[in-house]
């Protein structure tokens, strides 16, 4: 990091790892006293460290109040970088030790790999990938967080330094955080889901959930005059499928959400102009070169085909994108 000194010339001002840990702790604990307790330091030591970091960075990083401390915009950026730097320091030690053990030892991976994923991906893409990852690298300890794919979503967890890799929807109405590496895993079509045997499923009420309304369906959705306004809002796609199965309405859902759909529902193709959703992985340029994340990506690509029940019989959908 740099300070702009006299004459606008950059002056080196490196933050030490312990200063980065203090910044992260203050942000996560919501105040200097709580951060001090979490780190085993005094409050004055935490305050001094934050003031020193602010001087080195040249910006106020936290808004102080009687209720604690909250990151400023500059602080949120600094904390995200701090998390990512601290994580890379951990990875550096693991990979350097593996390399020191000899040729090929770098592939004998140990330690955590942190994954953020939305619910459908966590249920239907991750299990097989993680099973193979653990079989090939038993020293890896996957840590999975399920996040709602609204707002920053899984990509936001990566950008904030809380995950090494995210499984996210790509091309949504929310801009992808800058500076991330991303690649497509699957393209999945949407389908009409309704109670089995219903004579006129399009006349049923619409059941929907917040994560289902994004730009990859918005234009198509607006052009369909038969789709009513949602009168039943569910928490997630699993609840939607359960409501449809119980005869409470119909829904328009992506393929991942229909994996393992019960026989009490029918899945009807929406035709050649049906909308699709793109699901991919998101990581940072630095993490994309680490052994653990590269190994995880290889396994995710092998998991890019899932089986769902279809009106014309079981078929592998959606197909993986290579």
């Amino acid at each position: 990091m740099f300070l702009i000194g006299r004459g606008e010339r950059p002056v080196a001002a490196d933050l030490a790892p312990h200063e980065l840990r203090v910044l992260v702790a203050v942000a996560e604990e919501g105040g200097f006293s709580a951060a001090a307790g979490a780190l085993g330091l005094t409050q004055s030591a935490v305050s001094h460290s934050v003031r020193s970091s602010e001087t080195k960075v040249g910006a106020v990083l936290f808004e102080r109040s009687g209720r604690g401390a909250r990151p400023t915009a500059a602080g949120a950026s600094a904390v995200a970088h701090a998390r990512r730097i601290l994580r890379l320091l951990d990875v550096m030690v693991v990979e350097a030790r593996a390399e020191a053990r000899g040729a090929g030892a770098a592939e004998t991976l140990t330690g955590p790999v942190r994954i953020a994923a939305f619910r459908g991906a966590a249920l239907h893409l991750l299990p097989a990938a993680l099973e193979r990852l653990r079989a090939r690298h038993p020293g890896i300890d996957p840590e999975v967080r399920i996040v709602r794919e609204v707002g920053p979503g899984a990509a936001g967890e990566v950008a904030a330094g809380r995950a090494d890799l995210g499984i996210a929807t790509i091309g949504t109405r929310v801009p992808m955080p800058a500076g991330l590496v991303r690649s497509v895993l699957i393209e999945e079509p949407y389908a009409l889901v309704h109670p089995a045997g219903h004579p006129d499923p399009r006349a049923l009420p619409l059941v929907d959930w917040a994560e289902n309304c994004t730009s990859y369906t918005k234009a198509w959705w607006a052009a369909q005059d038969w789709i009513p306004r949602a009168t039943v809002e569910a928490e997630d796609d699993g609840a939607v499928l359960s409501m449809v199965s119980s005869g409470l309405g119909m829904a328009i859902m992506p393929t991942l959400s229909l994996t393992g759909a019960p026989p009490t529902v029918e899945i009807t193709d929406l035709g050649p102009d049906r909308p699709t959703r793109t699901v991919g992985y998101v990581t940072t340029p630095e993490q994309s070169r680490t052994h653990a994340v590269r190994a995880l990506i290889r396994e995710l690509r092998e998991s890019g085909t899932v089986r769902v029940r279809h009106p014309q019989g079981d078929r592998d959908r959606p197909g993986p994108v290579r």
Side-chain angles (χ1 to χ4, degrees), residues 286-297:
E286 299 82 13
Q287 286 289 349
S288 70
R289 294 189 287 270
T290 64
H291 295 305
V293 169
R294 288 166 59 191
L296 174 58
I297 290 171

Side-chain angles (χ1 to χ4, degrees), residues 98-122:
E99 292 286 358
R101 290 196 291 268
E107 294 301 317
T108 307
L109 308 176
T110 60
V113 58
R114 305 170 307 160
I115 305 160
F118 65 92
R119 181 184 179 277

Side-chain angles (χ1 to χ4, degrees), residues 148-153 155 168-177 182 190 208-219 221 233 276-278:
R148 298 193 74 197
E149 196 63 353
V150 292
T169 53
I170 295 176
T172 66
R173 66 180 180 210
V174 179
M176 186 71 65
R182 61 183 181 178
Y190 278 71
D208 204 7
W209 76 107
E211 291 171 281
N212 203 31
C213 184
T214 46
S215 63
Y216 41 68
T217 60
K218 192 173 182 180
W221 202 290
E233 292 283 349
T276 61
R277 179 171 74 170
T278 302

Side-chain angles (χ1 to χ4, degrees), residues 1-291:
M1 296 183 181
F2 296 93
L3 279 176
I4 302 301
R6 188 175 301 169
E8 299 300 313
R9 297 181 62 186
V11 179
D14 293 337
L15 271 67
H18 72 270
E19 292 176 299
L20 301 180
R21 292 189 182 92
V22 168
L23 294 180
V24 172
V26 172
E28 294 183 346
E29 299 296 331
F32 289 10
S33 296
L39 294 170
L41 301 173
T42 64
Q43 181 177 346
S44 61
V46 169
S47 297
H48 175 77
S49 180
V50 171
R51 285 196 302 271
S52 174
S53 296
E54 290 178 326
T55 299
K56 291 178 179 180
V57 173
V60 175
L61 301 180
F62 292 95
E63 295 178 355
R64 285 83 159 168
S65 72
R67 296 186 297 274
R70 185 167 60 91
T72 62
S77 176
V79 168
H81 283 294
R83 289 194 190 99
R84 289 160 62 170
I85 292 167
L86 291 170
R87 176 62 177 146
L88 285 174
L89 290 175
D90 292 339
V91 172
M92 177 192 73
V93 172
V94 170
E95 295 197 354
R97 287 176 178 172
E99 292 286 358
R101 290 196 291 268
E107 294 301 317
T108 307
L109 308 176
T110 60
V113 58
R114 305 170 307 160
I115 305 160
F118 65 92
R119 181 184 179 277
L123 288 177
H124 307 304
L125 282 180
L126 269 180
L130 295 183
E131 183 178 6
R132 288 192 302 271
L133 185 71
R134 290 297 300 272
R136 292 172 182 168
H137 306 286
I140 284 184
D141 183 21
E143 298 176 357
V144 180
R145 293 185 63 195
I146 299 177
V147 299
R148 298 193 74 197
E149 196 63 353
V150 292
E157 293 295 297
V158 174
R162 288 187 287 264
D164 304 325
L165 179 142
I167 303 178
T169 53
I170 295 176
T172 66
R173 66 180 180 210
V174 179
M176 186 71 65
L180 299 184
V181 174
R182 61 183 181 178
S183 183
V184 174
L185 291 170
I186 60 172
E187 297 274 3
E188 53 173 341
Y190 278 71
L192 173 64
V193 191
H194 54 89
H198 195 282
D200 187 12
R202 294 190 177 202
L204 290 168
L206 177 66
V207 185
D208 204 7
W209 76 107
E211 291 171 281
N212 203 31
C213 184
T214 46
S215 63
Y216 41 68
T217 60
K218 192 173 182 180
W220 178 90
W221 202 290
Q224 311 302 310
D225 56 9
W226 61 272
I227 301 178
R229 183 179 61 85
T231 54
V232 182
E233 292 283 349
E235 180 64 24
D236 55 44
D237 53 349
V240 170
L241 196 57
S242 176
M243 289 181 177
V244 173
S245 177
S246 299
L248 298 178
M250 57 86 172
I252 298 168
M253 305 180 70
T255 305
L256 275 182
S257 299
L258 301 176
T259 307
T264 49
V265 303
E266 288 185 24
I267 302 169
T268 300
D269 197 303
L270 289 169
D273 295 328
R274 62 181 178 263
T276 61
R277 179 171 74 170
T278 302
V279 177
Y281 69 80
V282 180
T283 186
T284 65
E286 299 82 13
Q287 286 289 349
S288 70
R289 294 189 287 270
T290 64
H291 295 305

